[in-house]
């Protein structure tokens, strides 16, 4: 059974940092593009970043470029999101998601999400 | 990277059909056959319902169908059921990025 389990969310002050993790199981993690998608309270979905199977390509939504870094450790079946210079508008539930097929942007499995709250 | 445009809400009675539109540009919806649709119930993670415009993942009822014309994609749900009441999001792949629509709340009357 495919499982994605996020962790690392919490309350952080504006300007602070947080590192999210996503533990994957039930599939060959190293064979898939992975993404982070977030959802602000009461709002819609927003794609944040993705990373190629071997980590050689990474892409970001403009609003997080230079502040967030996506990475992965295929030996540990884990996906990460390092978030620096956090702003109130980064407050959201952060989901990790598996891209069903490379280059399609279709996410067939999602984690349960981890809540990040940026507030003083 | 502007969000795709969806109606804020749609509604229908059990047994009826509804269609949700998703309008983008030639750089996203119109330029790729990589439109997906997701269903999200309150407090739950999104669920993939349609991928590559019109394909259904295993386990998704054939009441759900997708199509595309130009820069607008559509999700049609026929034979509405109470459990279809949820938020629906479209997305499009575009130049190694993904853009989502703003979401549509479906109410089953």
């Amino acid at each position: 059974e495919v499982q994605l389990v996020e962790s690392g969310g919490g309350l952080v002050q504006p300007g602070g940092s947080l590192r999210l993790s996503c533990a994957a199981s039930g599939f060959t993690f190293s064979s898939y593009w992975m993404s982070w998608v977030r959802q602000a309270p009461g709002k819609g979905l927003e794609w944040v970043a993705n990373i190629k199977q071997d980590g050689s390509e990474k892409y970001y939504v403009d609003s997080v470029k230079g502040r967030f870094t996506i990475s992965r450790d295929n030996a540990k079946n884990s996906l990460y999101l390092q978030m620096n210079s956090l702003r109130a508008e980064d407050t959201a539930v952060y989901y990790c998601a598996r891209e069903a097929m490379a280059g399609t942007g279709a996410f067939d499995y999602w984690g349960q999400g981890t809540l990040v709250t940026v507030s003083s | 990277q502007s969000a795709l445009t969806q109606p804020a809400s749609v509604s229908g009675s059990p047994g009826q059909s509804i269609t949700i539109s998703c309008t983008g540009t030639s750089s996203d919806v119109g330029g790729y056959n990589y439109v997906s649709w997701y269903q999200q119930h309150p407090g739950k993670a999104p669920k993939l319902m349609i991928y590559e415009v019109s394909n259904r993942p295993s386990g998704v009822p054939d009441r759900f169908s997708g199509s595309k014309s130009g820069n607008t994609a559509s999700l049609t749900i026929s034979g509405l059921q109470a459990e279809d009441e949820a938020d629906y999001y479209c997305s499009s792949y575009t130049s190694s990025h993904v853009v989502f629509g703003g979401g549509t709340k479906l109410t089953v009357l």
Side-chain angles (χ1 to χ4, degrees), chain B residues 69-106:
Chain B
S69 178
N71 297 335
T72 298
S74 299
L75 173 71
T76 298
I77 309 174
S78 58
L80 269 179
Q81 299 182 3
E83 58 262 37
D84 298 334
E85 183 161 298
D87 293 326
Y88 290 84
Y89 295 90
C90 64
S91 75
S92 177
Y93 174 86
T94 166
S95 302
S96 300
H97 293 68
V98 176
V99 59
F100 283 94
T104 299
K105 181 175 180 59
L106 169 61

Side-chain angles (χ1 to χ4, degrees), chain B residues 21-100:
Chain B
S21 62
C22 170
T23 301
T25 68
S26 58
S27 295
D28 38 61
V29 173
Y32 302 85
N33 285 323
Y34 294 136
V35 175
S36 303
W37 289 91
Y38 300 87
Q39 175 191 67
Q40 187 180 35
H41 288 109
K44 300 294 186 181
K47 174 186 177 182
L48 180 66
M49 306 300 285
I50 296 287
Y51 66 97
E52 293 179 17
V53 177
S54 59
N55 295 314
R56 282 186 311 277
S58 174
V60 173
D62 59 6
R63 302 186 294 105
F64 291 83
S65 62
S67 62
K68 189 185 85 166
S69 178
N71 297 335
T72 298
S74 299
L75 173 71
T76 298
I77 309 174
S78 58
L80 269 179
Q81 299 182 3
E83 58 262 37
D84 298 334
E85 183 161 298
D87 293 326
Y88 290 84
Y89 295 90
C90 64
S91 75
S92 177
Y93 174 86
T94 166
S95 302
S96 300
H97 293 68
V98 176
V99 59
F100 283 94

Side-chain angles (χ1 to χ4, degrees), chain A residues 2-6 22-25 27-37 47-55 57-59 70-74 77-80 95-100 102 107-111, chain B residues 96 98:
Chain A
V2 172
Q3 282 198 320
L4 298 169
V5 179
E6 302 94 337
C22 172
S25 62
F27 66 102
T28 304
F29 179 71
S30 59
S31 296
Y32 291 85
W33 280 77
M34 297 294 296
S35 279
W36 288 97
V37 178
W47 173 83
V48 174
N50 63 1
I51 185 168
K52 193 177 179 179
Q53 292 94 327
D54 62 359
E57 295 182 37
K58 307 172 185 181
Y59 301 94
I70 189 172
S71 63
R72 65 192 297 163
D73 185 335
N74 288 340
N77 291 334
S78 293
L79 177 71
Y80 306 101
Y95 296 100
C96 72
R98 187 182 86 166
E99 188 169 340
F107 304 119
D108 59 348
Y109 286 94
W110 298 65
Chain B
S96 300
V98 176

Side-chain angles (χ1 to χ4, degrees), chain A residues 5-25:
Chain A
V5 179
E6 302 94 337
S7 60
L11 175 64
V12 61
Q13 292 188 338
S17 297
L18 214 54
R19 188 195 196 207
L20 306 183
S21 299
C22 172
S25 62

